[in-house]
Amino acid sequence: MSGILKIALKLLVNDRSKFIALLVGITFAVFLMIMMMSMFSGILSRSSSSVYNIGAKIWVMDPAVNNATSSIPMPDYVLSTARSIDGVKYAVPIYFGNALVKLKSGAYQAVSVVGLDDATLYGRPELIEGKIEDIYAESAFFVVKDAEFKKLESPAIGTEFEINDHRGLVVGLAKVASGGLFGIPTVYTTYNRAITYIPSMRFTTSYILIEPKHDTDIPFIQQQIKKLGYQALTRDQFVNKISDFYTYQTGMGMNVLMMTAISFIVGLSISGQTFYTFILENMERFGALKAIGAKGHELIAMILFQASFTALIGYGLGVGLASGLMILAKLRLPSYAAQVTYTNLIFAFVMVLIMAGVSSYIGVRKVLQIQPFDIFRG
Amino acid sequence: MGNVAIKANALIKWFGEGETKTIAVKSASFEANFGELLYIVGPSGSGKTTLLSMISGILKPNEGSVLVEGKDIWQMKSDDIADLRLHKIGFVFQDYHLFPRLTTVENVAIPLILKKMDWNEAIKVALEYLEIVGLKDRAQLQPVKLSGGEQQRVAIARAIAGHPDILIFDEPTASLDGDTGRKIVEFIKTKILNAERCVIIVTHDSRIYEYADSIMKMEDGNIIGFERNTLHVA
Ligand SMILES: Nc1ncnc2c1ncn2[C@@H]1O[C@H](COP(=O)(O)OP(=O)(O)O)[C@@H](O)[C@H]1O
Ligand SMILES: [Mg+2]
């Protein structure tokens, strides 16, 4: 490190109380921003968990669907038409629904039920216990072993339960990539069993999953589905649609945006103020340096260094604090929906850089105005 | 008496405009030579600090010119003037201006660090200068822990650490008791002044006049006298 930056560092760090105040301001702002954005990301990614878990390339749905779990059943002709579109390798129905399970203890527990196409089992989860063929056995269900698994009293293969007054039998345990948002367990069965067990309206197909022959066929398939009055979305498009729904139509996005903005403003004002006071208190030092022969760009480098050093440490502390709290929360609440994403980290980092930038700008302006003569005169 | 270190030509400096205009220095011309200890004396407000600032590249005059070792400094770019201050001129400010958050030795090292000397090297050299002013054992203390006279010596060590040809002291003894002030000036005279150096001291402390080679008197912005010291001791 160049000597002049070392001086800058000592001037900053040896002023304990002000340095700590600066760190607290930035740490606090980063902490709040990361927490808010991570909760939001967590919720968003959970809200699309079924889309990720099923893994199909194309999802056909009613255009009014905006959320994976609230599907609108489609008539059977959509499926048969989809199968006849050029470029479709295969198209299968999938069922999403909810049911009430009565456990051995006599307690009731809501579950979400995924019904897989009987012929292909397309979209099936990865099994950790049991054999996939067993799903065709009488009353057979796979239970997803996720954070909500305990709510079904941790069943094993052979455990029986009642589901909507029908008998259910656990034939396997499955795992999925991502847990759901609503804190209820998930079970898988065949499409036909699902629609027999769960009361439904005239139509039963929640979504049609399509595997295209080539990815280049996707636009044509989408076009053809559109002609039917339905919508075919790629996985990413569907995920975006769900995210948009939560972000813009539930008020959640707005709240997160507001909280993030407030954290930023609070952080900026605390750290900006403190840094400004710090610069003011050190005017004499900067003036003396200037009189001795420090050049303008050296003083600017000192201030930028002080601001960015504080910003980086505050950023590290804030990220650490937020991650620590999330780890703690996850220990207590396994399905706690918060995730620190690179986007969040980068966003918070940019915000911190802006804080440092604004603070240094004020500082630099002040310091460049210093007349060493005023120092000299005493 | 050696070569001319500083030559001031008809320097004029005023502050403010119109009603509030104060002319701090009115057409000052003089020369200071290497090997010379020059005093600038005069009552408070007579323009001494203003004049010092103009001849040392800190305050731009409204009129007139300053030659430092023959170079017209106010024709130079501001970064070059900063370099000139760093390499040729050492300052001891009226109230020391030591850095309270740095140790004594770090304070002394500042000009060396500004000259891009490596940190450890600079601290080493600074220690030698602290030894010269007799404060080596105070190196790791903060300046506030030192007495006024000791702080003044630290400021002197800082001023000479950069090997300047010209040393400028603004009222170095003003806040010291008579004995300490005398010792400081004696020290400057015997240890710091040499044939390659020019030392200018602003003071209105008559107790130390005897050490001067020349004395320049100022009053109300004018130089009213320049004489070889008759009280001269050494
Ligand atoms: N920045 C300034 N603005 C206005 N007046 C000033 C300024 N600096 C000095 N002066 C005025 O110039 C005159 C000379 O000041 P100075 O050089 O500090 O005197 P000395 O050092 O001899 O006490 C004084 O009248 C002082 O008030
Ligand atoms: Mg003065």
Side-chain angles (χ1 to χ4, degrees):
Chain A
M1 184 179 4
S2 97
I4 191 145
L5 297 187
K6 200 159 171 179
I7 293 181
L9 184 67
K10 282 175 183 254
L11 290 182
L12 174 72
V13 177
N14 292 351
D15 193 348
R16 270 300 124 78
S17 58
K18 213 151 279 120
F19 183 55
I20 289 172
L22 274 171
L23 284 184
V24 167
I26 293 176
T27 304
F28 176 72
V30 170
F31 171 75
L32 281 182
M33 287 193 289
I34 297 268
M35 282 309 277
M36 289 311 297
M37 291 188 299
S38 300
M39 266 168 56
F40 187 55
S41 311
I43 289 173
L44 283 191
S45 100
R46 294 292 181 85
S47 67
S48 296
S49 59
S50 344
V51 184
Y52 288 117
N53 292 337
I54 299 299
K57 271 195 180 146
I58 300 177
W59 293 66
V60 177
M61 68 199 77
D62 190 287
V65 171
N66 45 31
N67 174 351
T69 47
S70 51
S71 54
I72 299 171
M74 292 175 288
D76 294 342
Y77 79 88
V78 186
L79 177 60
S80 42
T81 316
R83 283 180 169 150
S84 66
I85 296 172
D86 263 354
V88 170
K89 196 164 161 197
Y90 51 83
V92 302
I94 192 160
Y95 176 85
F96 282 106
N98 289 303
L100 211 52
V101 164
K102 189 179 180 194
L103 302 165
K104 257 213 202 98
S105 65
Y108 284 94
Q109 170 65 48
V111 293
S112 54
V113 179
V114 182
L116 301 172
D117 174 47
D118 291 61
T120 58
L121 299 184
Y122 188 60
R124 62 173 174 258
E126 188 186 330
L127 288 187
I128 46 182
E129 267 179 57
K131 293 194 296 286
I132 191 72
E133 313 88 78
D134 290 346
I135 203 169
Y136 297 118
E138 208 182 305
S139 313
F141 285 86
F142 292 137
V143 179
V144 175
K145 197 168 180 179
D146 58 9
E148 317 302 341
F149 181 65
K150 286 201 202 81
K151 295 180 181 165
L152 290 176
E153 298 172 352
S154 306
I157 291 180
T159 304
E160 289 191 22
F161 54 90
E162 266 179 46
I163 179 163
N164 284 4
D165 296 333
H166 296 266
R167 175 178 171 266
L169 174 65
V170 177
V171 297
L173 302 181
K175 80 171 186 204
V176 292
S178 164
L181 179 61
F182 301 105
I184 60 173
T186 307
V187 299
Y188 280 76
T189 187
T190 59
Y191 182 87
N192 280 318
R193 186 172 301 120
I195 62 174
T196 358
Y197 278 30
I198 300 167
S200 52
M201 296 180 292
R202 192 147 59 101
F203 304 132
T204 49
T205 307
S206 304
Y207 297 97
I208 295 165
L209 310 176
I210 294 180
E211 180 69 23
K213 284 180 183 145
H214 303 285
D215 285 353
T216 47
D217 295 326
I218 294 176
F220 179 72
I221 298 173
Q222 287 179 318
Q223 221 176 7
Q224 296 303 308
I225 296 287
K226 199 172 175 190
K227 281 188 189 156
L228 299 174
Y230 289 88
Q231 197 175 25
L233 299 180
T234 64
R235 184 172 43 205
D236 291 345
Q237 286 170 340
F238 193 18
V239 167
N240 286 341
K241 188 174 187 183
I242 297 169
S243 299
D244 286 352
F245 170 73
Y246 280 99
T247 309
Y248 302 112
Q249 292 182 32
T250 61
M252 204 163 75
M254 189 45 103
N255 280 332
V256 168
L257 195 73
M258 264 160 44
M259 283 306 294
T260 309
I262 291 170
S263 323
F264 172 71
I265 292 167
V266 170
L268 178 65
S269 28
I270 299 180
S271 53
Q273 268 291 332
T274 318
F275 195 67
Y276 186 63
T277 325
F278 170 77
I279 295 291
L280 282 188
E281 276 183 19
N282 280 288
M283 284 300 265
E284 229 187 276
R285 320 278 111 71
F286 287 112
L289 284 175
K290 222 174 180 176
I292 293 171
K295 296 177 196 69
H297 68 86
E298 287 171 325
L299 299 182
I300 293 174
M302 286 178 81
I303 289 177
L304 286 179
F305 180 72
Q306 288 169 332
S308 42
F309 180 81
T310 324
L312 286 185
I313 296 205
Y315 177 74
L317 289 176
V319 170
L321 204 61
S323 316
L325 200 75
M326 279 182 240
I327 290 169
L328 273 184
K330 271 182 188 158
L331 284 180
R332 292 205 53 81
L333 193 70
S335 59
Y336 181 71
Q339 61 176 23
V340 182
T341 65
Y342 283 112
T343 323
N344 296 349
L345 289 178
I346 291 169
F347 181 80
F349 188 68
V350 170
M351 288 313 207
V352 162
L353 285 188
I354 295 176
M355 285 186 212
V358 172
S359 306
S360 349
Y361 176 73
I362 300 170
V364 164
R365 275 189 47 153
K366 208 70 205 163
V367 164
L368 290 183
Q369 281 166 10
I370 303 174
Q371 294 299 330
F373 174 61
D374 297 327
I375 304 298
F376 207 19
R377 270 184 79 213
Chain B
M1 227 40 37
N3 301 324
V4 178
I6 294 180
K7 186 171 166 57
N9 293 314
L11 288 176
I12 302 181
K13 183 71 195 179
W14 62 79
F15 297 102
E17 289 298 332
E19 294 273 292
T20 61
K21 182 163 165 177
T22 332
I23 304 180
V25 172
K26 301 165 183 164
S27 195
S29 303
F30 72 97
E31 283 181 13
N33 298 316
F34 284 113
E36 181 182 31
L37 179 56
L38 168 69
Y39 274 27
I40 301 178
V41 303
S44 185
S46 57
K48 304 182 298 291
T49 299
T50 308
L51 182 61
L52 272 191
S53 304
M54 291 190 289
I55 61 172
S56 57
I58 278 184
L59 182 70
K60 196 175 165 74
N62 295 104
E63 283 174 33
S65 65
V66 175
L67 304 185
V68 173
E69 297 178 12
K71 268 182 282 187
D72 187 343
I73 62 169
W74 291 112
Q75 298 299 318
M76 292 160 56
K77 290 201 287 282
S78 70
D79 273 4
D80 295 335
I81 300 178
D83 262 333
L84 177 112
R85 289 202 298 270
L86 183 58
H87 293 276
K88 301 255 184 248
I89 302 176
F91 297 97
V92 177
F93 305 109
Q94 215 159 330
D95 20 50
Y96 321 144
H97 290 287
L98 298 176
F99 289 39
R101 310 264 175 224
L102 302 181
T103 62
T104 298
V105 67
E106 286 164 351
N107 263 283
V108 176
I110 286 174
L112 302 170
I113 288 162
L114 287 178
K115 283 177 161 183
K116 309 265 179 343
M117 190 185 279
D118 166 73
W119 181 274
N120 293 329
E121 180 70 18
I123 294 291
K124 216 178 96 200
V125 175
L127 261 181
E128 289 165 18
Y129 282 94
L130 268 184
E131 187 164 24
I132 292 175
V133 298
L135 289 173
K136 200 177 178 185
D137 55 330
R138 302 284 202 279
Q140 299 308 327
L141 292 181
Q142 287 194 314
V144 285
K145 304 261 165 66
L146 307 181
S147 71
E150 287 173 329
Q151 290 189 32
Q152 182 66 286
R153 272 142 72 197
V154 176
I156 292 174
R158 180 173 71 185
I160 58 177
H163 260 301
D165 304 338
I166 297 161
L167 271 156
I168 291 187
F169 294 80
D170 199 0
E171 316 241 8
T173 61
S175 43
L176 303 177
D177 63 78
D179 225 27
T180 317
R182 184 182 277 277
K183 277 196 187 125
I184 293 274
V185 177
E186 208 170 84
F187 177 81
I188 294 170
K189 175 89 184 182
T190 53
K191 297 273 167 52
I192 294 178
L193 183 66
N194 59 40
E196 278 82 48
R197 276 215 170 118
C198 166
V199 179
I200 302 177
I201 298 181
V202 158
T203 186
H204 46 225
D205 182 357
S206 56
R207 296 168 301 188
I208 56 172
Y209 281 9
E210 55 187 290
Y211 297 97
D213 294 320
S214 323
I215 295 182
M216 187 170 107
K217 287 207 174 89
M218 287 192 77
E219 204 177 283
D220 204 15
N222 291 306
I223 296 175
I224 56 165
F226 192 105
E227 57 194 67
R228 298 270 311 145
N229 193 2
T230 47
L231 297 170
H232 206 268
V233 280

